[in-house]
């Protein structure tokens, strides 16, 4: 699910690894993660995607509050929704970073 990607720039022999740390920064930073990578247009796309993910999480949390009230099951469901939203956010951010680097001519190394 959280794959590691190794990208090489053929012009500068620079290597970039998108690993679990990238997923964490992507999950927490979203568009800021892509801005730090220099992928400005994709940061705007990530902002829109992040708003959709957050909207889905808010709807899920609202439904879970109405279904489970303040029970332990409701708390676990809410925690799962927030965790799932962060995981999806990180996966999308790393996917967009990978796409952006590949469009710039970087080559992905298969492991």
């Amino acid at each position: 699910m959280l794959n590691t990607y190794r990208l090489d720039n053929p012009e500068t022999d620079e290597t970039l690894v998108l690993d679990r740390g990238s997923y964490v920064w992507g999950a927490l930073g979203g568009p800021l993660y892509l801005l730090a990578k220099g992928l400005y247009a994709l940061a705007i796309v990530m902002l829109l995607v992040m708003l959709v993910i957050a909207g889905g999480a808010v709807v899920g949390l609202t439904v879970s509050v109405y279904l489970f009230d303040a029970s332990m099951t409701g708390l676990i469901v809410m925690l799962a929704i927030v965790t799932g939203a962060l995981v999806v956010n990180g996966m999308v951010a790393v996917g967009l970073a990978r796409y952006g680097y590949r469009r710039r001519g970087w080559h992905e190394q298969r492991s």
Side-chain angles (χ1 to χ4, degrees):
M1 185 166 82
L2 301 178
N3 298 326
T4 299
Y5 303 103
R6 181 172 179 244
L7 300 161
D8 295 323
N9 188 339
E11 296 173 5
T12 63
D13 290 332
E14 187 179 354
T15 299
L16 173 72
V17 177
L18 301 174
D19 56 2
R20 292 179 192 242
S22 300
Y23 286 100
V24 170
W25 287 115
L28 298 176
L32 297 176
Y33 169 73
L34 293 171
L35 283 175
K37 298 285 185 186
L39 303 168
Y40 305 113
L42 292 176
I44 295 170
V45 172
M46 183 65 205
L47 181 63
L48 297 174
V49 170
M50 190 174 75
L51 291 174
V52 170
I53 293 169
V58 167
V59 168
L61 290 171
T62 303
V63 169
S64 70
V65 165
Y66 282 115
L67 290 177
F68 300 110
D69 291 329
S71 66
M72 182 58 77
T73 305
L75 193 60
I76 291 170
V77 169
M78 286 186 256
L79 183 62
I81 290 170
V82 170
T83 302
L86 285 172
V87 168
V88 170
N89 201 46
M91 290 172 61
V92 171
V94 168
L96 286 174
R98 180 176 162 226
Y99 171 77
Y101 279 113
R102 291 181 72 198
R103 271 196 76 163
R104 287 184 172 178
W106 291 58
H107 296 279
E108 186 173 344
Q109 299 299 316
R110 306 276 182 213
S111 8

